[in-house]
Structures are given as structure tokens and as C-alpha cells.
């Protein structure tokens, strides 16, 4: 283990440490510049070799943090899934809550977005958030449970609200699969597991570590969806970089009656083709186009204007003193 790194590369031709022919007849010398090059390369390689253990330690630490976050996310999903299963009637309101918290993003000022500000009483009580208090209460109750078992500190509302939206979306996907199986929950679960889009959530799950806003977002950034015209909806989606396609795929987020929302959206020639596309997709076994596009859109929406702390919710690993172990 004490062998030099250079000893493992005897034929390395990039380092020129041999004598050089000079213009002086009959005389061979080592040029000073060549000596310095040789010395510098040698030291650099020795340092690179000796740093291997540090790289391995850093990689191990990164893997530990990833595992901690992954395990925490899994527990969060279980908590939210159980809460939503107990109150399935709140699913459409959770979707709208997640949308309204995130769509406050303003591109010009780079403010707003999915920052948890909708938790403030002055924001949840606004006209556009009418009827969403019960959904927020469910999330607050889930937060208490999640914080009780979190080893890396309390979860932010900025993270929890998008995750509640994700769980609500998955609930609609599963419910669709169960309906296609004639109401048989077991067969529906198998269908969703086999053909669903669970594998598409990877990027969404990596955006985990948002920071809560400490004040409500400015008023006037969110339409009252039940009163808005299709043009007003298009304008709002356009202001955050979305188009008719994203508006159509998020129809379930715009009110408790998705069919009624889609009927309204279908009156606009720009949105109609996308509404029809996703309606056809939902009739298929896998509804792939609808699910993939919805996940993609929600992922983009849930990261607007946010700085992600990729070490959030990690915690020091307890060291085990082998000398104190009793065999």
C-alpha cells in the first residue's frame, strides 16, 4: 500500500525526465525547465493518488445523505397517502392548493413560487383560495406527524405542499386504474403498478430542500379559477412560461370538477387539441401521455424560483465504537 503512484505507471510517456540533446556537441544535460516539469507532474500525481481516500470518503458521505433523504421521502409519502386515503374528497382541493402556492411565481422579480406562503392566514383567506382551508388543515396535521419522526429537522411547507400535490395526483392515477378494473382495488393497484408512470417522478423527487417564505406572497398573482375566462387562464400560464398544453394537462388542478373545467377549456381553439389528446389518453390502459405530461409540468411548476438545499433533512450518522461492543 506504500507504493508510489508513479511506480504503477512505468511507461507513462507524458513525463519527460530523460536527458535532452542540446546544441552543445558531445554534451548531454538535463534542462532546468524539464526538471521543473518533471517535478511538478510527479508531485501532482502523488497528490492525486493520496487524495483518493478523501474522494472515497466524500462519495460515501454523499451516498449516506441520499439514502437519508430517500428514506425520509418514502415516509412522507406514506403519511400523506394515508391522510389522503382517509379524506379522498379533498384530493381536488389539495391539487388547487399546490397550484395556487406555486403559481404566484413572478418571472420579472423572481419572487413567489412554491414557497409555502399559502399557509399564512392572510393568504389562504384570499378569494382565489376559497374552500382550500380543509386541504391546508390536512397538510398541517400531516406535518405534525412527519416532524415527529424526522431525524433531520422539521419539513418545510414549501416541500410538503408539492409532495401533497404529488400524492393527490398519484391518488387520481390509482383511482383511474381501479375504475378501469370495474372497481376492484386489488386489480387496479396491479394495473397501476404495471402500467403507471411511477418511474417518471425522479426529477420531482430530487427537488427536495425548499425554504419556507417568511411572509405572504403579493396579492393579485392568482386568478379565481372558477370565475376566470380561458384567456385569463392562458395569460396566467403564459406569464410563468407555460402554454395551452400545460393548461390542458393541469385541468384537474383548476377546480373540483375536472370535466366541467375541460368543457370550458375546450371552447378555446388553442387549448382544444390538448384537451382532446389527454381525454383520449386517459381512456387507454396506461394513460401514458397524460400522466407523463402532467408529471413533467408539475415538476417544473414545483421548482420555480426555488433554491434547493440538497443536504436538507440529512443528519450526522452515529458512530459505533467497536471497542465497546460486547461479542
Amino acid at each position: 500500500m506504500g507504493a508510489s503512484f508513479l511506480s504503477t505507471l512505468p511507461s507513462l510517456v507524458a513525463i519527460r525526465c530523460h536527458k535532452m540533446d542540446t546544441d552543445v556537441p558531445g554534451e548531454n544535460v538535463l534542462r532546468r525547465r524539464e526538471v521543473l516539469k518533471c517535478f511538478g507532474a510527479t508531485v501532482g500525481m502523488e497528490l492525486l493518488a493520496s487524495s483518493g481516500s478523501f474522494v472515497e470518503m466524500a462519495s460515501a458521505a454523499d451516498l449516506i445523505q441520499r439514502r437519508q433523504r430517500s428514506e425520509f421521502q418514502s415516509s412522507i409519502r406514506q403519511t400523506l397517502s394515508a391522510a389522503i386515503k382517509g379524506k379522498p374528497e379533498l384530493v381536488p382541493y389539495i391539487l388547487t392548493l399546490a397550484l395556487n402556492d406555486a403559481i404566484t411565481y413572478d418571472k420579472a422579480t423572481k419572487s413567489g413560487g412554491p414557497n409555502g406562503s399559502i399557509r399564512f392566514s392572510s393568504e389562504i383567506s384570499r378569494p382565489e383560495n376559497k374552500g382550500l382551508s380543509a386541504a391546508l388543515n390536512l397538510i398541517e396535521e400531516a406535518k405534525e406527524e412527519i416532524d415527529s419522526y424526522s431525524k433531520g429537522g422539521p419539513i418545510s411547507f414549501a416541500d410538503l405542499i408539492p409532495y401533497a400535490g404529488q400524492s393527490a395526483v398519484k391518488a387520481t392515477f390509482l383511482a383511474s386504474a381501479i375504475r378501469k378494473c370495474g372497481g376492484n382495488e386489488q386489480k387496479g393497484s396491479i394495473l397501476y403498478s404495471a402500467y403507471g408512470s411511477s418511474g417518471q417522478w425522479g426529477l420531482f423527487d430530487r427537488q427536495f430542500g425548499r425554504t419556507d417564505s417568511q411572509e405572504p406572497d403579493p396579492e393579485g398573482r392568482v386568478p379565481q379559477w372558477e370565475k376566470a375566462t380561458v384567456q385569463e387562464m392562458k395569460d396566467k400560464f403564459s406569464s410563468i412560461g407555460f402554454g395551452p398544453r400545460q393548461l390542458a394537462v393541469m385541468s384537474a388542478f383548476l377546480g373540483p370538477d375536472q370535466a366541467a373545467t375541460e368543457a370550458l377549456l375546450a371552447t378555446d381553439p388553442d387549448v382544444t387539441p390538448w384537451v382532446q389528446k389527454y381525454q383520449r389518453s386517459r381512456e387507454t390502459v396506461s394513460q401514458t401521455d397524460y400522466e407523463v405530461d402532467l408529471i413533467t409540468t408539475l415538476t417544473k411548476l414545483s421548482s420555480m424560483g426555488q433554491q434547493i438545499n440538497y443536504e436538507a433533512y440529512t443528519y450526522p450518522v452515529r458512530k459505533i465504537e467497536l471497542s465497546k461492543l460486547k461479542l
Side-chain angles (χ1 to χ4, degrees):
M1 295 299 291
S4 166
F5 177 73
L6 290 179
S7 66
T8 66
L9 297 173
S11 61
L12 190 65
V13 297
I15 300 178
R16 301 173 61 192
C17 293
H18 55 277
K19 292 183 178 181
M20 299 294 297
D21 292 336
T22 68
D23 294 332
V24 180
E27 185 177 4
N28 289 327
V29 298
L30 276 173
R31 293 181 181 176
R32 183 174 61 179
R33 181 178 298 176
E34 295 300 326
V35 172
L36 291 175
K37 283 183 179 180
C38 177
F39 178 76
T42 303
V43 172
M45 286 187 171
E46 291 289 359
L47 288 175
L48 180 62
S50 64
S51 68
S53 59
F54 293 103
V55 173
E56 291 174 1
M57 291 173 61
S59 298
D62 183 56
L63 289 174
I64 290 172
Q65 289 184 342
R66 290 186 185 184
R67 186 189 65 194
Q68 291 174 349
R69 285 161 59 87
S70 177
E71 291 175 349
F72 186 43
Q73 288 171 322
S74 179
S75 298
I76 293 168
R77 284 190 285 267
Q78 291 175 12
T79 299
L80 288 170
S81 178
I84 290 172
K85 188 174 182 179
K87 296 182 179 180
E89 71 278 3
L90 292 182
V91 165
Y93 301 99
I94 294 172
L95 295 177
T96 304
L97 182 78
L99 172 65
N100 285 8
D101 187 54
I103 209 165
T104 57
Y105 178 63
D106 180 69
K107 291 176 67 176
T109 60
K110 300 188 183 304
S111 62
N115 55 20
S117 66
I118 201 169
R119 73 189 189 277
F120 290 110
S121 58
S122 59
E123 186 167 334
I124 191 65
S125 61
R126 293 173 185 172
E128 65 268 22
N129 296 324
K130 182 180 179 180
L132 303 183
S133 294
L136 180 60
N137 290 340
L138 180 146
I139 292 173
E140 289 175 335
E141 292 172 3
K143 186 179 187 307
E144 290 183 8
E145 180 179 344
I146 292 167
D147 288 349
S148 70
Y149 59 68
S150 173
K151 298 178 182 179
I155 187 171
S156 67
F157 280 96
D159 276 331
L160 187 55
I161 290 173
Y163 264 74
Q166 179 196 46
S167 295
V169 166
K170 288 182 176 181
T172 67
F173 292 169
L174 178 59
S176 177
I178 292 173
R179 283 195 299 271
K180 290 170 184 174
C181 292
N184 188 304
E185 291 189 11
Q186 183 178 8
K187 291 182 178 179
S189 297
I190 294 173
L191 176 65
Y192 178 56
S193 298
Y195 294 99
S197 53
S198 297
Q200 301 296 321
W201 289 102
L203 182 57
F204 180 95
D205 290 339
R206 283 194 290 275
Q207 308 304 312
F208 186 57
R210 304 170 187 83
T211 302
D212 278 339
S213 171
Q214 298 305 308
E215 60 184 7
D217 283 336
E219 294 187 57
R221 292 187 177 184
V222 183
Q224 296 184 50
W225 303 113
E226 70 278 8
K227 296 182 179 180
T229 65
V230 179
Q231 187 58 52
E232 288 172 336
M233 295 182 190
K234 287 167 60 179
D235 290 343
K236 181 57 194 178
F237 271 65
S238 177
S239 71
I240 61 170
F242 286 170
R245 180 176 188 169
Q246 289 75 28
L247 176 60
V249 81
M250 296 203 74
S251 58
F253 289 69
L254 301 173
D257 189 341
Q258 185 177 17
T261 300
E262 289 187 330
L264 174 62
L265 294 176
T267 62
D268 185 281
D270 294 330
V271 189
T272 298
W274 297 108
V275 171
Q276 294 173 345
K277 173 185 174 68
Y278 296 129
Q279 287 176 338
R280 289 193 300 268
S281 177
R282 291 200 300 271
E283 294 302 317
T284 64
V285 172
S286 63
Q287 57 180 27
T288 301
D289 288 343
Y290 173 67
E291 290 191 9
V292 171
D293 283 5
L294 178 52
I295 293 170
T296 301
T297 301
L298 184 59
T299 298
K300 292 179 179 178
L301 181 67
S302 298
S303 60
M304 288 184 172
Q306 302 306 298
Q307 295 293 325
I308 305 298
N309 175 13
Y310 292 99
E311 296 183 356
Y313 314 117
T314 60
Y315 49 90
V317 178
R318 181 181 177 184
K319 294 182 179 180
I320 300 176
E321 295 185 26
L322 297 179
S323 60
K324 295 184 178 181
L325 290 179
K326 294 182 180 180
L327 301 179

